[in-house]
Amino acid sequence: MVANQEDFLITELDIPYEEELLRNPYSLRPWLQYIEHKRLGEFNELCFVFERALKELPGSYKLWKQYLDIRRDKLKGLNAVRHQQAYQHVITLYERALVLLNKMPRIWLDYLSLLTTLPMITRTRRAFDNALRALPVSQHKRIWELYLQFAKAAGGETAIHIQKRYLKLDPGYIENYIDSLIKLEHFDEAAVNLVSIMNDKNFKSQRGKSHYQLWQELCELVVDHCEDIENIQVESIIRSGIKRFTDQIGILYSRLAMYWIKMGQLEKARDIFEEGITTVMTVRDFTVIFDAYSEFEEEMITTKMEMAKEREEAGEKDEEEDLDLDLRLLRFENLMDRRPFLVNDVLLRQNPNNVMEWLQRVTLWTGNKNKIVETYTQAVQTINPKKAHGKFHELWARFAKFYEEGDDLESARAIFEKAVKVNYKNVNDLAEIWCEYAEMETRNDNFDTAIEIMARATQVPRSLSMNPRLVNFHDESIPVQLRVFKSLRLWSFYIDLEESVGTVESTKKVYDQLMDLRIANPQTIVNYATFLEENQYFEESFKVYERGIELFGWPIAFELWNIYLEKFLKRYGGSKLERSRDLFEQALEGCPPKFAKPIFLMYGKLEEEHGLARHAMRIYDRATKGVADEDRMEMFEYYIAKATESFGIMASREIYERAIEALPDKDVRVMCLRYAKLERKLGEIDRARAIYGYASQLYDPRKQAGFWKTWHDFEVQHGNEDTFKEMLRIKRSVQATFPSV
């Protein structure tokens, strides 16, 4: 029967191929040619040739690959259940091929791809295992790509076990494994694996996730599915995260509390919330925890109130539940009242040296004297004076003022006595404390005590081992108590106090001490002199000005000389002329030219009013040489005006000539025109013409035509043909000397 079938499958057209195969039955090429010839025929005939070829050449990869491909292509579009036998034949062919070609990954991949389309999970899984056993490790990756796709499609425990095996080949796949565990609700194992990668310092996420993001996933997992977590200590893990991720403490505390809420341990959750809001270091974290805490309490109260309403509608009573509701309402109200204090606690934990926050805490305790005193005491004990953020001295001052407002001056004094011994960051802070101490005594009319306090504050310390004048007020290496005696703020307050409630002599003594220490400023000098003047100590006030001038020198001395000379002239006028002259001479001695002009003018005015005019002219003449260059023109103009006023126009000629010699060209041009105008008024035509001739050297005819117009008009009016020609000649000559550009 088989022979008849074979005869039927071989046609006359196949005879040449059959004859070739009889000659070379073990050669691959004739078989391939025969197969290529049969591709145009019936499928059964083609399969018959393949079977015969494989019988002769069972180890040929090329024959098996082509045969398997055409048999598998024939299955496309066929239902695997209805055509189970056809699929089984192809599977059997693959298994036959793999007996000899079990090292060929392509055959395995095709076989496995076919199996994954069939509802044969166990057989497919075993085939994958056989492939992994048969192929070398270097080829396993190709198999695993398909194996993992199969696992994903299979799902369930099969997928878990397959992926768990794959982790041995590629540990980086663990994130996908964890996702599968979560998807299949194996939350405990997923959490254990997340913990393992979190503890691995060398782990790097293939998805680019940071350690914190992985930690967040872990926290969400253990909190959302806390009932399923058995093999890890959730609280320990979250607390380790709190220590590790210090910028996310608020979120982690909230998750830990939420874990206990879901576990039904509400009191434990409340303890976690309380711990969080009393230990966090930032307002952001505090806000996160506090909002979660308040929301938790609100939800509990809402639930309890709904239950109470249901009991009321049912006519039932439960005193224990009602008491619990009242307790929760009271607790929630207390939590809301504590919020400002808790925020303040956070800021003080963040920076215990923040003076403003300590003062804010005092404000929060308004009305509670014991707490205010406790807060002030804690603040001054906690704050490091050298690191204080804000005005530490203001905290001490307010502490003392609190007692003062309570009519307890003794306690206020005790506070100030402690405050003045603190080594502040800035010496001015200590000075402010001394001033506040004295002001408190003045507010309570203890003026003598206030003066004694300021005397103590400004006294040179006995422990000082150097000359007080050599102490550097800004030397931070020296304690502030040894430098405060050089504080101008302190001395100014002391002086104001003495001027208000002390005697003239005591005030003078304080001023003298200040000047001896050489810390007075120009304003202090003026104030001291004014004080003496107001009390009719005129000569002493003048001596103060002189001391100030000696102390400061120029340019500050200029202002002091101005005030001093004005005061002296106002007091004596011309009655002490020689002394006045000596003062002016002293002022001008060493005076920089830029400050000399006002003094010369004042000096000249003195001589005009009380001395001799010629002396005044001599002073103005000196002024034209002693003032700054920019003031010299103005000084010559003033000198000319005064000389003309006192001695007539003729006296100004010599001054004009000197001005023309001394002034720069830009001023000489103006002075020459004025001088020529003066001579024209006097009828001195020749002198005026000579001045024009001299000035012409300074005027470019192309740019300063105004001058030449003036001279032209002058010659037309007063000259003749020769003088006019001379003017034109000079103009041409001058024009030639200036550049044409």
Side-chain angles (χ1 to χ4, degrees), residues 319-333:
E319 293 183 358
E320 186 175 344
E321 285 293 326
D322 292 340
L323 180 62
D324 184 52
L325 176 59
D326 292 339
L327 181 62
R328 289 184 183 281
L329 286 168
L330 185 63
R331 184 181 288 156
F332 182 68
E333 184 180 352

Side-chain angles (χ1 to χ4, degrees), residues 10 19 44 63 67 138 142 148 182 214 289 335 364 460 500 519 558 582 636 681 701 722 733:
I10 300 173
E19 292 175 349
N44 290 341
L63 287 173
Y67 187 26
S138 60
R142 300 173 67 184
L148 291 173
I182 295 173
L214 294 171
I289 299 172
L335 177 64
L364 292 174
V460 177
S500 302
I519 58 174
F558 171 69
D582 289 342
F636 268 113
K681 283 183 179 179
D722 293 336
S733 176

Side-chain angles (χ1 to χ4, degrees), residues 6-16 18 34 37-38 45:
E6 290 177 356
D7 292 340
F8 175 74
L9 294 174
I10 300 173
T11 64
E12 292 183 3
L13 297 175
D14 299 336
I15 293 173
E18 290 290 342
Y34 196 6
H37 165 69
K38 281 293 185 181
E45 295 178 9

Side-chain angles (χ1 to χ4, degrees), residues 29-47:
R29 186 176 179 183
W31 284 112
L32 291 176
Q33 290 174 346
Y34 196 6
I35 289 168
E36 193 64 31
H37 165 69
K38 281 293 185 181
R39 285 185 188 276
L40 302 174
E42 294 293 330
F43 181 71
N44 290 341
E45 295 178 9
L46 180 62
C47 291

Side-chain angles (χ1 to χ4, degrees), residues 211-226:
H211 269 56
Y212 173 69
Q213 288 174 311
L214 294 171
W215 198 274
Q216 283 284 73
E217 290 182 8
L218 175 61
C219 291
E220 289 177 9
L221 179 63
V222 298
V223 171
D224 294 342
H225 307 284
C226 54

Side-chain angles (χ1 to χ4, degrees), residues 200-250:
D200 183 4
K201 294 181 179 179
N202 297 322
F203 176 77
K204 290 185 178 180
S205 171
Q206 292 183 348
R207 300 177 181 178
K209 293 182 179 179
S210 65
H211 269 56
Y212 173 69
Q213 288 174 311
L214 294 171
W215 198 274
Q216 283 284 73
E217 290 182 8
L218 175 61
C219 291
E220 289 177 9
L221 179 63
V222 298
V223 171
D224 294 342
H225 307 284
C226 54
E227 299 86 354
D228 301 308
I229 305 300
E230 297 176 356
N231 293 319
I232 61 173
Q233 297 293 326
V234 176
E235 183 169 3
S236 301
I237 287 174
I238 297 180
R239 285 192 178 278
S240 66
I242 290 172
K243 293 179 182 178
R244 186 173 181 180
F245 303 106
T246 54
D247 58 334
Q248 300 294 334
I249 290 177

Side-chain angles (χ1 to χ4, degrees), residues 404-609:
E404 181 191 355
E405 291 172 350
D407 296 327
D408 187 357
L409 283 181
E410 289 303 318
S411 297
R413 290 186 182 114
I415 296 300
F416 273 122
E417 288 297 333
K418 290 180 180 179
V420 297
K421 295 175 183 176
V422 175
N423 189 19
Y424 295 95
K425 181 165 59 176
N426 193 317
V427 67
N428 289 321
D429 295 345
L430 179 57
E432 290 291 341
I433 281 292
W434 279 111
C435 294
E436 290 285 349
Y437 193 180
E439 278 186 9
M440 182 193 74
E441 297 294 354
T442 57
R443 283 195 297 270
N444 292 276
D445 298 333
N446 299 323
F447 300 114
D448 292 340
T449 307
I451 289 176
E452 290 175 6
I453 289 168
M454 295 311 298
R456 282 176 55 200
T458 54
Q459 185 179 7
V460 177
R462 295 178 181 176
S463 59
L464 198 63
S465 59
M466 64 175 73
N467 187 333
R469 291 185 178 183
L470 300 179
V471 173
N472 185 351
F473 180 72
H474 301 287
D475 188 354
E476 298 293 336
S477 64
I478 303 174
V480 292
Q481 280 75 13
L482 299 181
R483 293 182 282 141
V484 72
F485 72 94
K486 298 196 80 171
S487 169
L488 191 58
R489 165 80 176 90
L490 201 63
W491 282 100
S492 297
F493 183 85
Y494 190 9
I495 289 168
D496 291 342
L497 187 62
E498 284 286 1
E499 288 184 1
S500 302
V501 299
T503 64
V504 174
E505 290 302 320
S506 64
T507 306
K508 286 169 59 180
K509 185 178 179 182
V510 174
Y511 269 119
D512 288 337
Q513 289 175 352
L514 175 62
M515 296 188 71
D516 288 341
L517 288 172
R518 303 181 73 84
I519 58 174
N521 60 19
Q523 188 60 51
T524 307
I525 302 297
V526 175
N527 292 345
Y528 187 12
T530 304
F531 169 76
L532 292 171
E533 183 183 353
E534 289 172 353
N535 289 279
Q536 308 299 313
Y537 290 87
F538 296 105
E539 287 299 326
E540 291 189 30
S541 74
F542 297 149
K543 290 180 181 178
V544 169
Y545 282 121
E546 291 174 0
R547 288 179 66 184
I549 290 165
E550 181 183 356
L551 186 64
F552 293 107
W554 300 91
I556 295 173
F558 171 69
E559 301 295 339
L560 294 178
W561 272 117
N562 269 339
I563 300 171
Y564 179 19
L565 293 171
E566 184 179 341
K567 295 281 187 182
F568 188 87
L569 295 178
K570 183 179 178 182
R571 169 69 179 164
Y572 293 115
S575 60
K576 294 191 176 183
L577 188 58
E578 287 302 321
R579 185 176 171 186
S580 299
R581 288 171 176 164
D582 289 342
L583 286 177
F584 276 108
E585 291 297 335
Q586 290 176 32
L588 290 170
E589 185 179 353
C591 175
K594 65 177 181 178
F595 299 116
K597 177 185 167 185
I599 299 176
F600 273 119
L601 292 176
M602 197 183 300
Y603 192 4
K605 186 177 179 182
L606 170 70
E607 290 292 352
E608 287 182 43
E609 293 178 353

